[in-house]
Amino acid sequence: MTTPMTSAKAMPAKAQPPIPAREEDRLAALQRFELLDTPAEPAFDQITRLAAKLLKVPVALISLVDRDRQWFKSRVGLPVRETPREHAFCAHALDSDTLLVVGDARQDERFAGNPLVTGDPNIRFYAGAPLRTADGLTLGTICVIDDQPRPALTPEEEEALRDLSAMVMAHIEARRAVGYLHPVTSLSNRFRFLADADALSDDPAAVPGTAPGVAPGVAVVIDAAASQQYAELTRVLGQVCADAFETDCARRIAACLPGHTRLYHVSPARFACILPVGEDLVATLDRIAAAIRSPFQYQGVPIATSTGIGFVRRSDIPAGSVELLRAATSAAHQSLEEQKPWCAYDEEQDRAAHRAFLLLRSLTEAMAGSDQLHVAYQPKVDLRTDRCIGAEALLRWTHPELGPISPAEFVPLAERTALVRPLTEWVIGAVLKQVSHWHRRGIALPVSINISMLDLGSGDFADRVEALLDRHGVRADWIDFEVTESALMTDRAEVDRQLLQLRGLGIAVEIDDFGTGQSALSYLKDIPATAVKIDQRFIRSIAAERSDQIMVRSTIDLAHDLGYLVIAEGVETAEAYDWLRLHGCDFGQGYLISRPLAPRAFEDWLAAGAFRPTALQA
Ligand code: C2E
Ligand code: MG
Ligand code: MG
């Protein structure tokens, strides 16, 4: 049944639309559907275009009636995005499930004084079909508008408008069903974030809460998932607790956001929003950081969690919304790592993280293959006799695309992951093969292998070494290990146990990079090592630097007093070589003597005879 058209009469200037009976329920439903202030969606636009075509009108709208306004989810032929509710024809269609048809608005007392009638867009004809939810609440209408009066709709036209309204509702329901909402918090989810952020580049006004003329936007990620505690929470107290934690986080964050700003729940315990670029960005971030700092309560137990907050400007990431979210998440991770309340996206750091990830991924492949990893051998000489007394094995990696990668870059990366153990095992395997080959050819020199602190902390390192020696038929005194000082400072009891076991096998142990850690010299006295290797930074300019001389001289004396041999690394000049010899250093290693060499080149170097520093200098 259509509302009868009113006949021409003198009209009052304005008539307020009636408030429907279940207005608060209706507004709550409207919020739940998460339609307001969202970007255009093709499925809705197709329906409005169809409506305009079928009913042969210039304007067709999907209008949602909010508390104080009507907001158009889709619009054909109308430039404005919203109007005040008091001017909305659709607001008159909320309490009935029939069509509202106004043949000539100028002749209808409810609308004759309406500014949309007296001014732009000069509405004369209006027909709207309510958008009703399954429980009978009207969200708004799909309506068609003409600036010419029209007689009533034909039955076919009425049917078309009703069908279109059913299609809109079906899409609204389906949209929720296919998951634009997060099931735990009922916030918009990641798909929605991506869609909204993509719409940003096309239509700045589409950003919820963006004032006209303010450039959008800053993507912010609030990440409580990266914290170890969140994983623990789920593991120890279960998913119900984790869900409660997420809901609490969402509530706290939402309370800090400027009005109208949408909060998205993008992945477990990770939230995002898009803020307009403006002066109070910092204030908002500070507010969020403060709000999530206080412990979360679960069944009366306070649980502390750490949360990272990162942001990135939309304009800095032209690549699209997936990349935008990744960049903001990376910044959030950075804030956790640096223990700062929030961090801006840093392209440099991000590039480093990218490269680190790439390297780690290809390192596994490198270990499996036979042509990327190699070991170079750098001679060590006795400073009194100038004779070679051994070599240090130094890992070399030639990446198929990136070229040579320094172990100073990839070893520390591997040390942050479980990869370090297979990597060390790879090096030990390669060195044992080489050493057994050299012994068969009469080259009987011990080779030093660098190991990481994580190797020593693993509990079975010495056992694995013993098994490898057996497998390769190599005697324990044909190799030794170089351990950095920092390694000795981790789990001392376990490290000592492993070192003692290695010593028990007959393997010598050197303390590498001595002087760079934080330990006192007195620390040396308990370490089950055989030699101390003074770090190259003290050696490189030893002949000129008095402070280096003092440091090195006292280290040599102390180490000798404690029964260690002393080796200097980074010997680059004959002056350094002579100074070290003069001051009782036992061994030296460095570019003056030789650079690290491939096995064949090392053999040639050896064959050339004992090292003569003065001869080299000439
Ligand atoms: P490191 O064990 O202290 O090795 C000495 C480093 O100094 C080597 O760098 C060597 O090439 C370099 N070097 C030697 N003589 C001189 C010199 O006279 N002047 C200068 N400026 N440098 C000199 P490299 O090969 O790049 O290795 C860097 C670090 O990577 C090593 O420091 C070691 O900590 C680590 N590394 C290398 N290979 C392995 C490995 O197989 N396993 C483990 N865990 N770490 C390794
Ligand atoms: Mg070393
Ligand atoms: Mg070193």
Side-chain angles (χ1 to χ4, degrees), residues 392 450 482 512-513 533 535-536 569:
E392 176 177 11
N450 289 284
E482 294 190 7
D512 203 354
D513 301 342
K533 197 167 183 183
D535 192 70
Q536 48 184 282
E569 66 179 1

Side-chain angles (χ1 to χ4, degrees), residues 380 392-394 448-451 481-484 510-513 533 569 589:
K380 297 179 179 181
E392 176 177 11
L394 292 161
S448 314
I449 300 169
N450 289 284
I451 53 174
F481 286 114
E482 294 190 7
V483 186
T484 56
E510 290 168 34
I511 300 164
D512 203 354
D513 301 342
K533 197 167 183 183
E569 66 179 1
Q589 176 186 349

Side-chain angles (χ1 to χ4, degrees), residues 14-19 85-87 92 110:
K14 200 160 76 175
Q16 290 287 344
I19 299 295
R85 180 168 173 167
E86 59 186 290
H87 301 156
H92 292 261
R110 293 169 297 175

Side-chain angles (χ1 to χ4, degrees), residues 247-299:
T247 310
D248 191 35
C249 276
R251 188 183 51 74
R252 292 189 199 190
I253 299 165
C256 303
L257 298 179
H260 278 312
T261 307
R262 186 181 304 283
L263 182 63
Y264 304 81
H265 192 167
V266 287
S267 54
R270 192 174 288 152
F271 302 89
C273 60
I274 300 171
L275 296 174
V277 180
E279 274 174 35
D280 49 4
L281 171 66
V282 165
T284 306
L285 295 174
D286 280 341
R287 264 202 312 276
I288 300 174
I292 51 186
R293 200 173 298 137
S294 57
F296 153 73
Q297 300 279 335
Y298 184 67
Q299 297 185 345

